[in-house]
Amino acid sequence: MDLSKLSEILKSEPKYRQQQVSQAVFIDLVTDWDEVKTLPQKLRTVLKNSCPLEIKAKIFHSQDQKTSKALITLNDGNKIETVLMRHEGDRHTVCVSSQVGCPLACTFCATGRLGLKRNLNADEIVEQVLLWNRVLKQIGEKERVTNVVYMGMGEPFLNYTNVLKSIRWLNDKQGFNIGARKISVSTSGIVPKIKKFAEEKMQVNLALSLHAPTDELRSSLMPINTHFPLQEVMSAIDYYIKKTNRKVMCEYLMIDGVNDSLEQAKQLAKLLKDKLVMVNLIAYNPTNAYRPAKAKNIKAFKDYLSQAGLEVSQRFTFGQDIKAACGQLALDN
Ligand code: SAH
Ligand code: SF4
């Protein structure tokens, strides 16, 4: 798909064409310009040649059919992954990538091993949601993506402008109309961008990949912590909370023998004391680096945090069998 020439082409057309095109591409989900009978034949031919709607994707489904992963080949041949999770009820969450690869090399993350190839542009981020809407429409005429999380490949705040542009686009009432509160951005802790995000006056959710309660441990797992140490990250989070009054989700991977001890639970409780946050404990999905924490240790860790007065939840993993779970996105299909 390539919509980069679209606005240029529509410039010489009456204003209402933009509306017709948005309706066709983002609401009716057409895959061929010939289907758009509201447009004159000549314009359809121009669009057919200059703005192809085809998305090149290979789709995999997990055994339980709840998770699907798509491997999209971009126009320049680079590949990215995006995941659809179908929850009970009619909630459908899409996990989008924001970069091809990621430069931050967290030791537990498969994407981090790829290094950074390039940033995605806003179209390429939105295209991922569009693809899943097309898939959902085939399942049920009215089924659509309801939630979007920026937790796929890449660090969203290292591609800030395009990520923000894509959020506004997903949010657009004339397009996907996905409410800001249904959109979450996860960051490894890019301090200046957390502060900037606080100023955006958006109702989008922020998640912080915390994973360790001390600088020493966090730096050994997440090299970015040497640039932006915990104290700076936490004060950026304080600033965000003060500005937005929105609760921040702190993601904490549970890795056996690395960050799952009661002593570490205690340090974490101290770090997060009295902050408007919740802790989301995430099962470590194997990437050949560590072992997942034992269930009894996760329970003890969780109980300690609850007793210390923190709000804690546990994330269920989706799609491990098709390597679609968090941190497993690495294009080895
Ligand atoms: N770069 C951003 C967003 C993408 S990663 C970030 O790091 O926040 C999305 C989430 O998946 C993060 O919380 C990340 O820490 C987590 N993750 C990475 N590797 C994982 C693994 N092997 N198992 C489970 N979660 C993982
Ligand atoms: Fe990049 Fe996030 Fe993976 Fe770290 S966890 S390497 S920041 S994608």
Side-chain angles (χ1 to χ4, degrees), residues 11 81 102-103 127 278 320:
K11 238 183 214 161
E81 295 181 329
C102 179
E127 178 178 330
M278 60 158 301
Q320 270 201 25

Side-chain angles (χ1 to χ4, degrees), residues 12-236:
S12 50
E13 294 287 328
K15 269 231 163 72
Y16 59 84
R17 293 276 181 245
Q18 177 65 55
Q19 171 60 29
Q20 289 173 324
V21 164
S22 294
Q23 171 77 32
V25 177
F26 301 113
I27 299 175
D28 302 337
L29 305 170
V30 298
T31 51
D32 185 339
W33 288 109
D34 281 337
E35 293 171 51
V36 195
K37 304 289 185 217
T38 49
L39 302 177
Q41 176 66 52
K42 215 174 123 207
L43 179 59
R44 271 188 261 159
T45 311
V46 173
L47 290 171
K48 230 175 136 84
N49 292 327
S50 311
C51 303
L53 290 177
E54 185 212 356
I55 300 174
K56 282 192 205 126
K58 244 165 89 182
I59 297 181
F60 308 82
H61 301 285
S62 67
Q63 257 164 24
D64 64 8
Q65 299 292 317
K66 284 192 183 146
T67 307
S68 307
K69 174 168 90 167
L71 182 67
I72 298 181
T73 304
L74 303 169
N75 291 326
D76 66 355
N78 271 309
K79 291 185 164 80
I80 50 163
E81 295 181 329
T82 173
V83 178
L84 170 72
M85 290 158 282
R86 292 163 61 200
H87 305 271
E88 299 300 321
D90 44 17
R91 191 156 64 93
H92 303 306
T93 301
V94 164
C95 178
V96 292
S97 293
S98 54
Q99 300 183 305
V100 184
C102 179
L104 297 182
C106 299
T107 56
F108 45 77
C109 173
T111 305
R113 292 188 202 138
L114 300 171
L116 176 69
K117 297 255 174 59
R118 68 168 172 88
N119 279 336
L120 295 182
N121 58 42
D123 304 31
E124 291 166 328
I125 298 173
V126 171
E127 178 178 330
Q128 300 169 53
V129 180
L130 180 63
L131 171 73
W132 292 121
N133 266 342
R134 289 181 184 174
V135 170
L136 285 169
K137 193 186 171 193
Q138 285 177 351
I139 296 171
E141 188 57 33
K142 294 243 147 57
E143 305 281 320
R144 292 294 185 275
V145 173
T146 56
N147 297 61
V148 176
V149 297
Y150 285 71
M151 295 187 185
M153 308 174 90
E155 167 51 53
F157 282 176
L158 292 181
N159 185 16
Y160 191 86
T161 309
N162 292 335
V163 162
L164 263 276
K165 205 170 149 192
S166 68
I167 292 175
R168 296 215 164 86
W169 196 341
L170 295 175
N171 202 208
D172 184 0
K173 294 227 162 19
Q174 293 192 357
F176 291 109
N177 194 19
I178 298 173
R181 289 161 192 266
K182 304 273 176 73
I183 300 176
S184 305
V185 177
S186 175
T187 180
S188 57
I190 310 296
V191 166
K193 293 303 186 315
I194 295 175
K195 290 185 185 153
K196 193 158 183 221
F197 199 57
E199 311 281 353
E200 301 285 354
K201 305 213 164 23
M202 281 176 142
Q203 306 274 311
V204 174
N205 305 304
L206 179 66
L208 170 71
S209 288
L210 193 52
H211 307 320
T214 63
D215 274 319
E216 197 188 357
L217 180 60
R218 195 164 188 269
S219 294
S220 76
L221 299 172
M222 305 175 69
I224 187 66
N225 192 69
T226 55
H227 284 271
F228 299 119
L230 268 178
Q231 205 198 350
E232 283 179 35
V233 174
M234 293 324 293
S235 69

